[in-house]
Amino acid sequence: MTNNYGPEYIRAIAPYQAGKPIAEVAREFGLDEASIIKLASNENPFGVPESARQAMAAAVAELGRYPDANGFDLKGALSNRYDVPADWITLGNGSNDILEIAAHALVERGQSIVYSQYSFAIYALAAQGVGAQHIVTPAKAYGHDLSAMLAAIRDDTRLVFIANPNNPTGTFIPAAEIEAFLAKVPSHVVVVLDEAYNEFLAQQDQFESAEWVKKYPNLLVSRTFSKAYGLAGLRVGFAIAQPALTDLLNRVRQPFNVNSLAQAAAIAALNDMDFLQKGAENNTAGYQQYVAAFDKLGLEYVPSYGNFVLVKVGDDAGAGARVNLSLLKQGVIVRPVGGYGLPEWLRVSIGLPEENEAFIEALTVALAE
Ligand SMILES: *Cc1c(COP(=O)(O)O)cnc(C)c1O
């Protein structure tokens, strides 16, 4: 399917590999959809919060009209929550949109973007999409090596992407280290701090990155409603940055990038503390369940701060694919990470206790094959 349309850097893009949808696995393996367990995309095992369903039902009547292009109510709610003015907030069609918008708004073709080995796949795609040069620093213990990232910054660097916690490895950088890094980053470089899993952090690891935004005009904090808030299918995320940066982002984004239902649902979910709490408790328990099982099976894993765990399922480069295929045949969908350069590993999301148990049983079978 090669052709000569478009710039070379677009033709060179390897498309994002999403987690397999349940319906696709059912078709491919002749399984009943209802029996399939999906732990592949770090989605919320409790699904959509009831509060968000109600808000959406009420918003349906207005769907004949365009959404509020400025997201007034949602930005107001976020402004309250994070104690920043509303004009410091940019809404995105998922935080994926925010990452792309940042690359488009801030990076010229040929300039460079710094990100880490084993960090979120979208950083490479966002860089490639604008024809940027990729500076990929080696990971340290499967996570970001901030000293290496700092040293890698060049005069032509415009953007640094940091995922904290990181996906797919689950690693975490403590607040003090991030702040020390921010203090040293040259002012011509914007740091995107992608905190898609922030809500899963234990109390003692939590910090308010929105406060750093007040101090650093070159910091952009990115958050999402896809994970802890259970709204992955709606696509809502947001950025917090000072007005000069926010203004640039808003020039690049599509005016109606967040739809009306998504805006209504996000406001409801943001205020649904019970739902967040329930999710956090389930996550802590599920993590313990996985760790106990991996220890018992003698499997190496990377300690995770997110709602998923990266586990090593064999020593050869075929291990991840082999175990993944066995899991699929047993109706369990997880995420192979060969594309990240981790072919011996699989990433599994934390689900409900019975889903986790089904995965552990299927994994035990797969490893014995
Ligand atoms: C899931 C994820 C996102 C974005 O998800 P959206 O659904 O686009 O908001 C961003 N960063 C990381 C590290 C993620 O894992």
Side-chain angles (χ1 to χ4, degrees), residues 75 83-90 101 105-106 190 210 212-221 239-253:
K75 282 189 194 174
D83 190 27
V84 293
D87 66 354
W88 290 36
I89 296 165
T90 309
I101 289 171
L106 301 167
V190 169
W212 296 339
V213 173
K214 295 174 185 170
K215 195 160 155 197
Y216 298 102
N218 60 336
L219 174 62
L220 184 162
V221 170
I240 303 175
Q242 288 192 16
L245 196 47
T246 300
D247 177 58
L248 271 187
L249 302 179
N250 274 300
R251 289 170 196 233
V252 177
R253 74 173 177 90

Side-chain angles (χ1 to χ4, degrees), residues 16 41-42 92-99 119-123 162-168 194-197 222-227 231-233 235-238 308 340 347:
Y16 180 74
S41 302
N42 304 341
N93 191 250
S95 60
N96 197 142
D97 193 26
I98 296 291
L99 306 174
S119 66
F120 191 39
I122 298 298
Y123 307 153
I162 296 174
N164 198 38
N166 184 44
N167 172 19
D194 175 356
E195 300 188 320
Y197 301 96
S222 166
R223 297 278 186 99
T224 182
F225 284 92
S226 296
K227 311 283 163 54
L231 300 179
R235 318 301 303 124
V236 206
F238 61 97
F308 57 88
Y340 281 92
R347 190 197 70 194

Side-chain angles (χ1 to χ4, degrees), residues 36-59:
I36 292 175
I37 288 168
K38 186 178 179 218
L39 299 168
S41 302
N42 304 341
E43 293 147 341
N44 195 311
F46 294 105
V48 187
E50 182 53 37
S51 56
R53 281 178 204 264
Q54 287 175 14
M56 284 190 282

Side-chain angles (χ1 to χ4, degrees), residues 194-211:
D194 175 356
E195 300 188 320
Y197 301 96
N198 173 274
E199 296 83 2
F200 295 106
L201 290 176
Q203 199 72 41
Q204 72 268 16
D205 296 322
Q206 300 246 355
F207 52 86
E208 214 34 273
S209 48
E211 289 305 311

Side-chain angles (χ1 to χ4, degrees), residues 76-144:
L78 291 167
S79 160
N80 272 337
R81 169 63 54 84
Y82 293 104
D83 190 27
V84 293
D87 66 354
W88 290 36
I89 296 165
T90 309
L91 301 182
N93 191 250
S95 60
N96 197 142
D97 193 26
I98 296 291
L99 306 174
E100 300 265 351
I101 289 171
H104 278 280
L106 301 167
V107 186
E108 243 173 63
R109 189 176 160 190
Q111 294 178 329
S112 63
I113 298 181
V114 175
Y115 57 89
S116 172
Q117 179 188 25
Y118 307 145
S119 66
F120 191 39
I122 298 298
Y123 307 153
L125 283 173
Q128 193 69 24
V130 295
Q133 294 187 52
H134 307 240
I135 302 179
V136 187
T137 55
K140 193 168 93 184
Y142 299 100
H144 294 69

